[in-house]
Amino acid sequence: MPGGFFRTSASADPDVIAALQDYLQWEELIGWAIDHLDESLREGFISALKGNLAAKKRLINHKIIPLYTSGAAGVALTPIPFSDAALLVPIQIKMSLHIMKTYGLDQKLGNLSSLVGSVVVSESGRLLAQTLSTNLFKLIPGVGTAIGTTVNTVVASSFTAAMGYAISEICFRCATAVFEEGKEIVWADYFNGENIATLMNEWFKVSRHG
């Protein structure tokens, strides 16, 4: 059809693309979608975008991670003993899989979900103990110095936010390597306790400065 021919040719014409740039405002549209679309529409729209990893990262950092940090805070509304901190793990696994799906990595490797889940399960308790012992929570306003051996709302939400940041950053690096650079990667080189711990520590230090 002539119309179909025109659409294909026009979209591939560099002069047409250049002429339309001032009118498309693609980045503004993505930003508006993240900030204003209903949740059920927003995630579908951003996740369906080909590429645009920066937009997906923004959605994860500003909308998805806060959703799960609120859930973690709810679990610890009444401070729970450190020994019961495993109650946070299902929330962190669900958050990690949500992040992975948003980047489109769940379609790349079927057993990646199992890998991410196993890393979160095995590392969450150890990392929480390590974080408490190194006093990283004292870097966060509102935590104070008397944490002791309990997990309260601020500890639970901060730890989950740090975990979310780490998983998001790892997924972003994987997605960049796989989708934009066309690389074959070893998933375990990215998703491991050492990388998660390093990135979580980074989050705590950055959060100290607001």
Side-chain angles (χ1 to χ4, degrees):
M1 291 178 62
F5 174 78
F6 172 76
R7 285 195 299 273
T8 303
S9 300
S11 64
D13 188 326
D15 293 331
V16 173
I17 294 173
L20 290 174
Q21 284 305 309
D22 292 338
Y23 301 96
L24 291 177
Q25 297 181 307
W26 187 241
E27 293 300 325
E28 289 82 355
L29 174 61
I30 292 173
W32 181 89
I34 291 174
D35 293 334
H36 298 289
L37 275 183
D38 181 80
E39 181 179 346
S40 60
L41 299 174
R42 179 179 62 225
E43 291 197 26
F45 173 71
I46 299 298
S47 296
L49 294 175
K50 184 177 181 180
N52 285 286
L53 296 179
K56 294 177 181 180
K57 190 175 186 179
R58 180 183 171 191
L59 172 66
I60 289 164
N61 289 343
H62 291 273
K63 300 295 182 180
I64 293 176
I65 293 175
L67 178 68
Y68 291 95
T69 59
S70 297
V75 169
L77 196 59
T78 299
I80 57 176
F82 173 75
S83 58
D84 290 339
L87 295 172
L88 300 176
V89 171
I91 294 173
Q92 292 163 356
I93 291 177
K94 188 175 180 180
M95 174 183 67
S96 299
L97 297 179
H98 195 165
I99 291 170
M100 184 183 69
K101 182 177 180 180
T102 302
Y103 280 115
L105 292 172
D106 60 319
Q107 300 174 3
K108 189 65 180 176
L109 185 64
N111 64 357
L112 184 56
S113 299
S114 300
L115 173 61
V116 174
S118 64
V119 170
V120 173
V121 168
S122 63
E123 296 294 332
S124 183
R126 183 186 70 80
L127 291 172
L128 179 57
Q130 176 182 313
T131 305
L132 287 169
S133 66
T134 55
N135 294 321
L136 280 173
F137 282 117
K138 295 179 183 179
L139 299 177
I140 307 301
V143 174
T145 57
I147 296 177
T149 57
T150 61
V151 176
N152 59 26
T153 56
V154 179
V155 170
S157 59
S158 297
F159 182 74
T160 301
M163 175 74 77
Y165 166 80
I167 296 295
S168 178
E169 185 61 31
I170 291 172
C171 285
F172 179 81
R173 294 174 186 179
C174 286
T176 300
V178 172
F179 298 130
E180 296 190 352
E181 299 171 359
K183 293 180 178 178
E184 292 289 336
I185 65 174
V186 178
W187 299 98
D189 289 346
Y190 289 80
F191 290 98
N192 57 62
E194 182 179 355
N195 285 344
I196 292 175
T198 298
L199 289 166
M200 288 180 69
N201 289 342
E202 180 181 294
W203 182 91
F204 279 111
K205 291 173 182 176
V206 171
S207 296
R208 179 183 187 182
H209 303 289

